[in-house]
Amino acid sequence: MTHTIQPNNPETTPAPDATDVPVTSVPAAAAAPAGKASAVPAALKRRIPKYSDLAPLMQFKKPEFSKEARLKRASTVWELRDIAKRRTPQAPFDYTDGAAEEEITLRRARQAFLDIEFRPGILRNVSTIDLSTDILGKPSRLPVGIAPTGFTRMMQSEGEYAGSQAAEAAGIPYTLSTMGTASIEDVAAAAPNGRNWFQLYLWTDRDRSLELIERAAKAGNDTLMVTVDTAVAGARLRDVRNGMTIPPALTIKTVLDASYRPAWWFNFLTHEPLTFASLSRYTGTVADLINSMFDPTLTFEDLDWLRETWKGKLVVKGIQTVEDARRVVDHGADGVVLSNHGGRQLDRAPIPFHLLPEVKQAFTADNTDAAIMLDTGIMSGADIVAALALGADFTLIGRAYLYGLMAGGRAGVDRTIQILEKDMARTMALLGVSKLSELTPDHVRLLNK
């Protein structure tokens, strides 16, 4: 005869009648003596610890204060930023960290990467992760390169030399800005085996622009990146409030600021004065320099001139609409960089990450093989993986690498790249993909869209 025993809730179920309950004998060993608690397991009984038990737990390490130890403790780009802020005077740090007007564009660009949901696949072999790719006809060990940044030796004295050499060591492209603080020739000499690109602002003086183009080609740069979102300088209010000048001026405020950051000033004052890729010396405000260089008359026809003049790969940076992406390709561009200049030009500008799927769809429909690159807002390897999944062929980092530079020079840039590489490999493994070609839009869902 089978008896079914239902769970008993004493608050809702009445006690059964004594006649209905089968009599079951309880083994003597299992029955606890009335009024006494069950025996305490040996593992839960208190005892005096033995030294042999404590010894493996006492791993006291000597405090380390070296630059290498400081950088090694940084696990994210944000932590490098914290170090950079402590070690860099306010004016150059804010020049890097800030954006235009109310900085709405920059906040939105970063938020865009947060407002996604990854959709992983399981039971895939991810024992090895391949992060290599091809961009503009040549290999890159990682799907990220260093974007052009101006006044880089002002952030930290190693500047473009640190960036180009770190990129060379990592096997990724490095882009020198027209407003960089090292010459085209010096950067090429510092990283002779690196893949060097040159970013161009087209001046109203076309002879000056042509001279730069010829120098870039002679120095071995295989890609020219022309920036087109700078008809005039954006209103970078942090720079205005800081009285930012090139070179930094020694005022009462900057001297007081320097007292907390002596290493930066020592490096700045004991190295060669700032020089530029495009002019030997300049004294004045950042806005004045920018406005003296940018050409507000630039049109699509100027791209035709560039295409005829430059024999290497031509990339147009600053694309913010699908229509413009298509038009620059029609005018000879080999690739586009979806970018709003890191939020430093037009506030409330389109967000490149949001624009990416539309441009990818348009290029697919047009059957064009022009490369799609993206910058603005990238602060982790997961951000890069998300961009690649949604259609980017390549990504560029500006602020992220500058935070590393300010945190520790060349070693800080190396650390930035290491962090991003580790992030990318981990994210891909957790998504269930082992190489970049396996990433698809199905791996990412845009929230709140």
Side-chain angles (χ1 to χ4, degrees), residues 206-367:
R206 289 292 184 266
D207 290 338
R208 296 287 298 276
S209 296
L210 182 59
E211 178 189 349
L212 286 175
I213 293 170
E214 291 173 344
R215 287 172 57 193
K218 186 176 180 180
N221 290 259
D222 64 71
T223 296
L224 183 69
M225 182 182 296
V226 58
T227 297
V228 295
D229 58 0
T230 51
V232 296
R236 303 172 191 177
L237 300 184
R238 290 203 214 183
D239 297 343
V240 174
R241 298 183 187 110
N242 290 329
M244 179 72 169
T245 61
I246 305 296
L250 286 172
T251 65
I252 293 177
K253 180 180 179 181
T254 56
V255 169
L256 289 174
D257 193 32
S259 66
Y260 297 97
R261 301 164 178 91
W264 185 94
W265 277 104
F266 178 77
N267 286 332
F268 180 78
L269 295 174
T270 58
H271 285 88
E272 179 71 21
L274 297 185
T275 56
F276 294 83
S278 54
L279 63 161
S280 57
R281 292 287 188 276
Y282 180 84
T283 301
T285 68
V286 174
D288 288 343
L289 175 58
I290 291 172
N291 283 326
S292 72
M293 296 176 65
F294 296 168
D295 183 0
T297 69
L298 192 65
T299 67
F300 284 94
E301 283 64 39
D302 292 290
L303 289 183
D304 296 332
W305 176 77
L306 273 177
R307 182 68 282 177
E308 293 174 3
T309 304
W310 176 258
K311 304 309 178 185
K313 297 293 184 180
L314 178 64
V315 172
V316 179
K317 180 177 180 289
I319 299 299
Q320 298 175 68
T321 68
V322 174
E323 179 187 1
D324 283 347
R326 281 175 150 159
R327 288 189 69 184
V328 298
V329 171
D330 290 342
H331 283 265
D334 298 296
V336 299
V337 181
L338 308 184
S339 170
N340 55 38
H341 216 99
R344 298 164 68 79
Q345 286 296 102
L346 175 67
D347 209 8
R348 300 179 180 85
I351 304 305
F353 187 63
H354 290 162
L355 179 64
L356 174 59
E358 299 175 46
V359 173
K360 178 64 174 180
Q361 183 179 18
F363 278 19
T364 301
D366 295 344
N367 196 30

Side-chain angles (χ1 to χ4, degrees), residues 164-187:
S164 59
Q165 290 174 341
E168 178 185 49
I172 63 176
Y174 172 82
T175 315
L176 174 65
S177 170
T178 298
M179 299 173 72
T181 43
S183 73
I184 299 170
E185 294 78 12
D186 285 349
V187 168

Side-chain angles (χ1 to χ4, degrees), residues 70-71 73-90 92-99 103 106-107 110 238 261 377-379 398-408 412-413 415-416 419:
R70 180 174 65 246
L71 294 173
R73 286 193 292 269
S75 300
T76 67
V77 174
W78 289 109
E79 290 175 359
L80 289 175
R81 178 187 178 275
D82 292 339
I83 298 171
K85 188 172 184 179
R86 293 194 299 268
R87 300 182 63 81
T88 311
Q90 182 177 353
F93 178 83
D94 279 354
Y95 177 80
T96 300
D97 196 60
E103 303 188 356
L106 178 57
R107 290 196 298 274
R110 286 177 170 162
R238 290 203 214 183
R261 301 164 178 91
I378 294 173
M379 289 290 283
R399 285 185 182 88
Y401 111 84
L402 291 176
Y403 291 141
L405 176 68
M406 291 186 288
V413 182
R415 185 59 182 155
T416 298
I419 289 171

Side-chain angles (χ1 to χ4, degrees), residues 128-133 141 428 434-437:
T128 59
I129 303 296
D130 183 4
L131 295 173
S132 64
T133 189
R141 196 178 67 83
M428 287 180 58
S434 60
K435 52 188 178 181
L436 300 179
S437 60

